Amino acid sequence: MAEPTTPRSFQEIILRLQTYWAEKGCAIMQPYDMEVGAGTFHPATTLRSLGRNPWAAAYVQPSRRPTDGRYGENPNRLQHYYQYQVLIKPSPPDLQDLYLGSLRAIGIDTDIHDIRFVEDDWESPTLGAWGLGWEVWCDGMEVSQFTYFQQVGGHDCHPVSGELTYGLERLAMYVLGIDHVMDMPFNDPDAPIALKYGDVFRQTEQEYSRHNFDTATTDVLLKHFEDAEAECKHILDQAADDPKTGKRIIMAHPAYDQAIKASHVFNLLDARGVISVTERQAYIGRVRALTKMCADAFVQTEAGGADAA
Amino acid sequence: MPDLLLELFSEEIPARMQGKAADDLKRLVTDGLVDAGLTYASAGAFATPRRLTLTVEGLTDASPTTVEERRGPKVGAPDKAIEGFLRGAGVAREDLVEREEKKGAFYFAQVTTQGRPAADIIADLVPGVIRTFPWPKSMRWGAGSLRWVRPLQSILCILSDEAGAEVVPFEVDGFSAGNTTEGHRFMAPGRFAVSSFEDYETKLRAAKVVLSAEARAETIWHDATNMAFAAGLEVVEDKGLLAEVAGLVEWPVVLMGEIGEDFLGLPPEVLQTSMREHQKFFSVRNPATGRIERFITVANRETADQGATIIAGNAKVLSARLADAKFFWDNDLRIARDGMGDWREGLKNVTFERRLGTQAERVERIAALAREIAPMVDADPTAAETAARIAKADLNSEMVYEFPELQGVMGKYYALEAGLAPEIAAVAEEHYAPLGPTDDVPTAPLSVAVALADKLDLLTGFWAIDEKPTGSKDPFALRRAALGVVRIVETNGLRLRLDRYFDAQLVRHKGALIEDVQSEEVVDLLREIADHGVFGAAFRAVVETRGKASEGLETMASQVPDKSDDLLAFFHDRLKVHLRSENIRHDVIDAALSKPPTDDLTLVVARARALQAFLDTPDGENLIQGYKRSANILAQAEEKDGVEYRYGADAKFAETDEEKALFTALEAANAAIAPAMADERFADAMAEMAKLRAPIDAFFEAVQVNADNDIVRRNRLNLLHDITQTCGAIADLSRIEG
């Protein structure tokens, strides 16, 4: 194998991952156009991990965690960051090797680094999902999550999907040798207009931190949560047969959008500090109930592996 | 005599599961082999992150052929019955023999079970072991249905002897057993064939895999201590971490790195916790200063640069972690030096338990109780109250939020920074102790007072809301808390009547829980409990002075004493479990617990220990026999007569010499026992009691208790009662079994 070269920028790492997984046969998808807490929320993972149809997708997903906002000052923490997500169903027998190939592709020489698979059971209470796998360590640094999905939306996964999640900023900082995320070259450092991560995101981190922590109107958010919850149920309450077209159309995805919305609003409310410990569990349960309903609906559809009516 | 080698090769097995899995594999396979009629000389099991391996040596080639005679239907039975028997036994009609039995003539068949080759038995056995393997958590993968801890990748199964090795052919969910395995994932990729366990182990080592977890752990510890020693330092021992790390590597390479200068000022516990929890690093200490100065990490490989890249990477990750820790520490120090007011204020917003209020309220209750306990443990009441008020302040610090296991430890540092006296600061750390049954117990008076108050508040609180442990459910670790109290009292030899503190703290809880009780009533009640010691008398005193009790106070009176008694019974159960480890028998503890006061645990323990020690001597036997002989005859007479003989015997009615001698002996014993009891010299007291055996035996030998003269008879029975009283002064000996 050719000596891997070291990438020079954040975007080069993303591009190399895209190229690598495209070569390995994944459909390279685009980010989902909604606010989500992690790449797993993208319907290309959550919904597509359900049912018997094979699937292979990879994509970048901007992710938001309002409570992690640090006004752009913390070297490692951001309220908005990127995840790279790969989902292959059924999980191929050589998924670990494929994964290690992706590390080599972004310039990690596995001959001089110490790569380890350390036990980490994954669970998402809001998605009603869990799986077994590892966090992958490179010289003691967690560079990815590696999970075999066992259950999603309360449904057993058959076949099982293998999911890889790379925390892109952290991984890129490691590969590029950067100590503060805002100092990381976003594009090529020799480009005519060289941009650092901070040039792109420092200001937005400040703005969103202030908004998330102090400004977001909680009454409005509470209303949004309830609206999204009601809308999700409303969508799924519709009969499967569309009276207008006469076709069987179960609206799993539009309903799931509402579940995603409710989940993000909950995260904002959490950042605003208006949710007590006991209420927290109740809200998580409400979001889980929504995702479960969406999962129930999705497995009734063709993409979800149901026989065509 | 072939050897069996079985390897289940998979993706990385969690470190914490490897040891038990290796044991389970050995047990399940060897049990199965033996059940199928094979025998073997020895077996061994091994685990690495990627494999479970079993070697069974000196296995028999085949199970023996066995012949068994089976009785069939009676001669002349219907054909249908005979055919059924033939089918079941697998024999032909002409093979049957007839034989006369008591009940008539029967058909008999000789049923031969052919021995089976070991390979067949293994091929039948192993797939079942794999399918039903007892992993604590298992998973499916791909499109298959097999469950394993992580995806299984290959199965190696061979039988080998001098002539060579043969694959034992079987298949599980598409995996066929073979004779190949893999070495180290990075250092020696590729499969290779093996022909015996010895060959397997040697080739694995060449392929950079140390098969034995013990050998890996030894290498790690040996190299780590040498490396530290060479630098004039020492490794902080951590057996749990060592076992875990040995389960994370197949080829351990120990590397030592520096902790950045900026972080050396952090408390050693912070460095150690952060390094262990996040990075699985060992801490390396400078023995001269006690400071943690370096870290040791265990890599899973050798590299061309002698691990330089790996150390640099690990050091960098550690710096990021410690930068967080230092940020928390610096922020916390500001609040600590300011007197920790923000944190203590913040406890008002932290719910302890829905019904039991906030952490701030809990702290206030603990402070009040600590103040009351203080004089009993030679602590200053005001200092105890102060210490209790700051002991949990660190729960709101950033460091404890990040590392909950550092609660108390940080509290001590922060209290010192706040300018508090060292003995008060120490309470923050020590009042949680003891956590485990072998943990050190606090002995400093202030720490003892607050540790007791903390645990008693926890227990009375959950008793007040009826959340007692049931079966295996004890989410608030109440058993641990009660055992903690038992051990603190015992270790420090404390003389406390727990009842009084149960009552006081239950009143504090109930005062908050019962709506219509007046706060002045609670205050009065607590003051009276302090005076009277128990709830009942205190309650009567309050009613007397106030004229009447509110409805709430009545409710309290109907609940507190029962809960207090119930809690004491819970303590007695804990005490029994605790003393069992000292080989003090259950019945001995019961006997000691049947003499009040039973809420003075030190006294109960002293009596139980003395009794057990005494029972283990010949004198102990004397005491029990003397007591039982007297008690039995007395009981029989009392039952027959329907009266109790408890009026004291009079020596002037004694007739025989033996009777007079017993009176004299009893008088002498009582004279010696009284001061011994007063001084709680229980062994001495019991030695005196045991001396009564001889005069008692002589008395029964020579004297007829049931004399014709009723006065003499009654006097003798009363004498027996006096003996049982004297001998039962320490414990109710009737409860002693055997």
Side-chain angles (χ1 to χ4, degrees):
Chain A
M1 194 200 307
E3 192 70 8
T5 55
T6 307
R8 292 163 54 85
S9 66
F10 185 52
Q11 71 188 27
E12 189 183 345
I13 289 172
I14 297 175
L15 292 169
R16 286 196 192 188
L17 284 173
Q18 299 276 50
T19 307
Y20 177 84
W21 287 107
E23 280 168 4
K24 298 298 173 192
C26 287
I28 302 301
M29 308 202 41
Q30 300 305 320
Y32 202 55
D33 57 343
M34 291 188 69
E35 299 129 317
V36 294
T40 311
F41 277 83
H42 195 308
T45 289
T46 310
L47 295 182
R48 293 291 176 158
S49 63
L50 293 163
R52 64 188 179 190
N53 294 338
W55 186 254
Y59 54 90
V60 175
Q61 181 62 52
S63 306
R64 301 192 187 216
R65 295 203 176 157
T67 47
D68 278 355
R70 295 293 183 272
Y71 300 84
E73 285 163 19
N74 186 290
N76 303 299
R77 267 188 217 275
L78 301 159
Q79 57 80 39
H80 172 282
Y81 64 105
Y82 289 110
Q83 286 192 339
Y84 196 84
Q85 175 89 2
V86 180
L87 189 87
I88 306 180
K89 178 175 71 171
S91 63
D94 59 346
L95 187 56
Q96 281 186 313
D97 289 335
L98 287 173
Y99 167 75
L100 291 170
S102 76
L103 292 187
R104 292 184 191 106
I106 58 172
I108 293 178
D109 178 357
T110 54
D111 284 335
I112 59 162
H113 291 286
D114 182 31
I115 312 285
R116 234 72 87 63
F117 292 86
V118 179
E119 177 191 13
D120 190 35
D121 301 345
W122 172 81
E123 189 182 9
S124 168
T126 43
L127 290 177
W130 68 276
L132 298 187
W134 311 273
E135 47 183 50
V136 185
W137 286 15
C138 176
D139 302 336
M141 157 106 153
E142 183 192 338
V143 289
S144 307
Q145 287 278 334
F146 191 131
T147 308
Y148 292 100
F149 279 1
Q150 301 295 300
Q151 220 179 49
V152 172
H155 291 258
D156 281 345
C157 298
H158 263 300
V160 166
S161 301
E163 184 211 43
L164 306 172
T165 303
Y166 308 71
L168 282 171
E169 281 81 357
R170 189 155 34 155
L171 180 60
M173 283 167 69
Y174 191 72
V175 171
L176 301 172
I178 304 293
D179 291 329
H180 196 299
V181 63
M182 294 298 168
D183 297 337
M184 179 161 61
F186 200 99
N187 61 358
D188 194 290
D190 294 333
I193 302 174
L195 295 171
K196 299 206 161 174
Y197 196 92
D199 297 326
V200 182
F201 285 125
R202 181 177 281 113
Q203 182 176 324
T204 55
E205 281 298 309
Q206 288 177 355
E207 292 178 9
Y208 280 103
S209 294
R210 182 174 176 196
H211 170 261
N212 297 340
F213 289 129
D214 302 323
T215 312
T217 311
T218 56
D219 294 348
V220 172
L221 290 173
L222 287 165
K223 182 84 173 61
H224 282 349
F225 184 92
E226 281 170 11
D227 287 348
E229 188 180 42
E231 185 65 11
C232 180
K233 291 174 180 166
H234 167 71
I235 295 168
L236 294 175
D237 276 346
Q238 304 306 307
D241 296 321
D242 173 25
K244 198 163 91 190
T245 62
K247 291 183 174 165
R248 187 166 184 272
I249 307 178
I250 295 171
M251 294 170 285
H253 285 80
Y256 181 61
D257 285 352
Q258 299 301 319
I260 291 178
K261 202 170 278 182
S263 174
H264 178 63
V265 172
F266 161 70
N267 288 339
L268 282 172
L269 284 165
D270 200 20
R272 287 287 280 116
V274 295
I275 293 182
S276 75
V277 181
T278 34
E279 280 176 324
R280 220 168 170 274
Q281 288 313 311
Y283 272 100
I284 289 171
R286 284 163 76 178
V287 177
R288 181 169 56 239
L290 297 182
T291 46
K292 175 152 188 347
M293 287 192 299
C294 296
D296 293 348
F298 179 72
V299 297
Q300 304 295 315
T301 68
E302 206 179 322
D307 293 321
Chain B
M1 295 296 243
D3 300 333
L4 166 67
L5 174 63
L6 172 66
E7 182 203 61
L8 304 167
F9 184 78
S10 69
E11 298 180 4
E12 276 75 357
I13 307 168
R16 67 191 169 91
M17 300 180 187
Q18 292 168 15
K20 178 169 183 298
D23 292 345
D24 285 340
L25 181 66
K26 178 169 144 183
R27 176 176 54 82
L28 293 169
V29 173
T30 55
D31 284 1
L33 295 173
V34 170
D35 286 347
L38 297 177
T39 64
Y40 63 95
S42 65
F46 306 89
T48 79
R50 292 213 290 166
R51 66 200 86 220
L52 290 183
T53 301
L54 172 70
T55 167
V56 181
E57 286 167 9
L59 197 61
T60 36
D61 292 308
S63 59
T65 296
T66 55
V67 182
E68 162 204 23
E69 190 183 66
R70 220 182 275 177
R71 194 177 80 172
K74 267 190 167 172
V75 174
D79 274 359
K80 227 176 169 182
I82 295 169
E83 277 158 25
F85 174 65
L86 293 175
R87 259 198 312 278
V91 295
R93 181 117 197 192
E94 57 268 27
D95 298 331
L96 294 181
V97 292
E98 294 177 20
R99 207 163 64 228
E100 200 66 33
E101 298 263 288
K102 269 186 205 153
K103 289 179 179 168
F106 285 85
Y107 289 114
F108 285 85
Q110 298 285 324
V111 180
T112 305
T113 309
Q114 284 298 330
R116 300 174 67 211
D120 286 4
I121 291 173
I122 294 163
D124 272 358
L125 170 70
V126 175
V129 170
I130 294 172
R131 284 183 206 285
T132 59
F133 201 80
W135 291 108
K137 230 181 199 180
S138 64
M139 55 166 274
R140 290 173 290 102
W141 63 95
S145 62
L146 187 63
R147 302 189 75 91
W148 198 245
V149 63
R150 291 294 182 274
L152 189 66
Q153 289 185 323
S154 68
I155 300 171
L156 179 156
C157 189
I158 57 170
L159 272 174
S160 59
D161 56 20
E162 298 79 16
E166 294 263 0
V167 170
V168 178
F170 64 84
E171 202 206 86
V172 187
D173 239 49
F175 292 98
S176 297
N179 64 347
T180 62
T181 185
E182 280 181 38
H184 191 280
R185 186 192 280 284
F186 297 104
M187 295 182 75
R191 299 195 76 83
F192 54 87
V194 302
S195 58
S196 68
F197 176 68
E198 200 183 6
D199 183 44
Y200 169 78
E201 201 177 16
T202 310
K203 282 182 177 158
L204 272 185
R205 191 168 274 272
K208 306 293 180 185
V209 175
V210 179
L211 184 61
S212 149
E214 290 75 35
R216 293 194 301 272
E218 265 171 45
T219 302
I220 293 167
W221 189 246
H222 174 265
D223 292 358
T225 46
N226 274 359
M227 205 175 275
F229 181 76
L233 304 169
E234 62 187 17
V235 188
V236 177
E237 197 173 322
D238 189 336
K239 292 215 166 67
L241 181 63
L242 181 60
E244 185 182 3
V245 169
L248 286 172
V249 293
E250 293 201 306
W251 191 252
V253 175
V254 172
L255 300 168
M256 186 160 70
E258 309 264 345
I259 298 171
E261 192 66 36
D262 284 356
F263 309 119
L264 294 178
L266 286 169
E269 294 92 340
V270 170
L271 290 170
Q272 227 174 305
T273 305
S274 177
M275 295 204 291
R276 183 185 60 223
E277 296 305 313
H278 292 310
Q279 306 300 133
K280 307 192 195 303
F281 289 168
F282 290 94
S283 296
V284 181
R285 180 168 49 203
N286 183 335
T289 60
R291 280 205 319 185
I292 308 280
E293 295 183 348
R294 297 195 193 182
F295 67 87
I296 278 182
T297 183
V298 183
N300 187 30
R301 61 166 310 148
E302 296 160 9
T303 59
D305 64 356
Q306 315 304 323
T309 307
I310 297 174
I311 295 178
N314 275 289
K316 192 168 172 174
V317 179
L318 179 63
S319 288
R321 289 284 189 193
L322 293 182
D324 272 352
K326 187 165 187 311
F327 178 74
F328 302 142
W329 171 248
D330 289 341
N331 285 348
D332 285 349
L333 283 186
R334 271 196 295 277
I335 294 174
R337 288 175 183 151
D338 214 31
M340 306 192 283
D342 283 4
W343 293 334
R344 287 162 57 191
E345 195 60 28
L347 291 178
K348 290 180 181 163
N349 301 322
V350 183
T351 305
F352 168 63
E353 203 277 348
R354 187 171 52 82
R355 288 156 293 177
L356 299 178
T358 65
Q359 282 285 10
E361 289 168 316
R362 174 159 147 76
V363 165
E364 278 312 302
R365 282 194 307 266
I366 294 171
L369 185 59
R371 192 180 175 93
E372 285 165 20
I373 293 175
M376 306 300 294
V377 300
D378 294 329
D380 175 60
T382 307
E385 195 177 335
T386 307
R389 288 233 163 81
I390 59 93
K392 292 187 191 290
D394 67 339
L395 292 181
N396 261 348
S397 68
E398 293 185 23
M399 190 71 85
V400 173
Y401 182 82
E402 184 70 12
F403 298 111
E405 62 269 48
L406 288 179
Q407 68 174 16
V409 173
M410 299 319 299
K412 181 187 70 182
Y413 284 109
Y414 295 148
L416 287 171
E417 292 290 339
L420 291 159
E423 62 272 21
I424 290 183
V427 171
E429 182 173 11
E430 292 175 0
H431 84 283
Y432 289 109
L435 288 175
T438 54
D439 268 16
D440 283 346
V441 166
T443 52
L446 284 176
S447 300
V448 168
V450 180
L452 286 175
D454 181 35
K455 291 164 181 62
L456 292 177
D457 181 72
L458 183 79
L459 286 157
T460 50
F462 284 98
W463 248 252
I465 58 171
D466 284 320
E467 286 287 345
K468 298 181 272 185
T470 51
S472 60
K473 285 209 188 78
D474 185 8
F476 303 102
L478 301 180
R479 292 193 180 99
R480 187 174 79 186
L483 178 61
V485 173
V486 167
R487 292 190 55 220
I488 291 171
V489 167
E490 185 200 345
T491 306
N492 292 289
L494 300 180
R495 301 308 299 268
L496 289 176
R497 299 292 304 269
L498 288 176
D499 252 354
R500 167 184 160 186
Y501 304 109
F502 290 171
D503 287 354
Q505 212 65 355
L506 279 166
V507 165
R508 289 193 176 96
H509 285 295
K510 284 289 180 187
L513 286 163
I514 298 172
E515 267 182 22
D516 39 8
V517 69
Q518 297 164 21
S519 58
E520 307 87 62
E521 289 177 323
V522 174
V523 172
D524 288 353
L525 203 48
L526 288 168
R527 189 189 58 240
E528 295 294 339
I529 288 176
D531 282 353
H532 295 282
V534 284
F535 183 87
F539 174 72
R540 285 190 293 277
V542 171
V543 174
E544 204 167 292
T545 44
R546 298 182 70 87
K548 73 189 245 316
S550 69
E551 213 167 290
L553 193 62
E554 291 286 359
T555 310
M556 199 182 267
S558 71
Q559 295 180 353
V560 168
D562 286 351
K563 289 192 183 297
S564 184
D565 289 350
D566 192 53
L567 183 55
L568 184 59
F570 180 74
F571 267 81
H572 289 161
D573 286 342
R574 295 299 98 207
L575 186 65
K576 285 178 195 172
V577 174
H578 176 57
L579 290 181
R580 206 174 297 155
S581 63
E582 280 186 33
N583 287 325
I584 297 184
R585 282 168 13 206
H586 213 270
D587 55 329
V588 169
I589 301 167
D590 277 336
L593 280 174
S594 56
K595 286 279 161 193
T598 60
D599 61 336
D600 179 344
L601 300 182
T602 299
L603 185 62
V604 171
V605 170
R607 288 196 305 233
R609 271 200 194 125
L611 181 55
Q612 181 69 61
F614 199 69
L615 288 178
D616 294 340
T617 66
D619 265 359
E621 186 62 19
N622 287 338
L623 171 61
I624 294 296
Q625 291 315 322
Y627 172 85
K628 286 205 164 165
R629 201 164 179 183
S630 311
N632 288 343
I633 290 173
L634 176 65
Q636 282 164 17
E638 286 186 340
E639 201 190 348
K640 182 166 157 258
D641 304 348
V643 292
E644 290 183 334
Y645 294 101
R646 307 205 166 163
Y647 307 108
D650 195 331
K652 74 179 182 227
F653 298 117
E655 288 183 339
T656 68
D657 287 349
E658 289 82 0
E659 196 173 2
K660 285 175 189 152
L662 183 53
F663 268 104
T664 315
L666 188 58
E667 200 175 320
N670 281 335
I673 288 168
M677 289 297 289
D679 297 347
E680 297 180 359
R681 287 181 286 109
F682 300 121
D684 293 348
M686 280 188 284
E688 291 301 326
M689 295 170 195
K691 285 183 191 162
L692 292 172
R693 169 89 189 262
I696 289 171
D697 283 351
F699 169 78
F700 284 123
E701 195 67 29
V703 177
Q704 190 70 30
V705 173
N706 289 318
D708 295 336
N709 180 336
D710 204 39
I711 294 173
V712 172
R713 176 173 178 269
R714 264 188 274 136
N715 194 51
R716 284 176 184 167
L717 289 168
N718 280 323
L719 174 61
L720 295 185
H721 172 75
D722 289 349
I723 291 169
T724 60
Q725 285 304 105
T726 298
C727 294
I730 286 171
D732 180 356
L733 299 181
S734 69
R735 291 184 178 257
I736 299 297
E737 290 160 12

